[in-house]
Amino acid sequence: MGTVPRSLFVNGFVGGGVVWVLLIFFVGLFHAYSKAMGLIQGFFLFNKIRT
């Protein structure tokens, strides 16, 4: 195994890792945002019903 394929493999792995981390981060962020919006809407709806 030469040094060129290894460096190429490492670069590809690192790039793929960064892409995966960003993807997971954005999916988590979107999920948390949608959950927060749902909680806020439910809270306002609960306040409307209560009063």
Side-chain angles (χ1 to χ4, degrees):
M1 193 167 174
T3 52
V4 175
R6 189 179 289 170
S7 66
L8 198 89
F9 174 75
V10 166
N11 281 351
F13 183 73
V14 168
V18 168
V19 167
W20 273 111
V21 165
L22 281 173
L23 194 73
I24 290 162
F25 174 72
F26 277 118
V27 166
L29 200 74
F30 179 73
H31 187 73
Y33 175 75
S34 63
K35 192 180 273 185
M37 289 307 289
L39 279 170
I40 289 163
Q41 280 181 339
F43 179 70
F44 279 126
L45 204 75
F46 179 72
N47 270 1
K48 245 183 228 176
I49 289 164
R50 201 180 58 186
T51 51

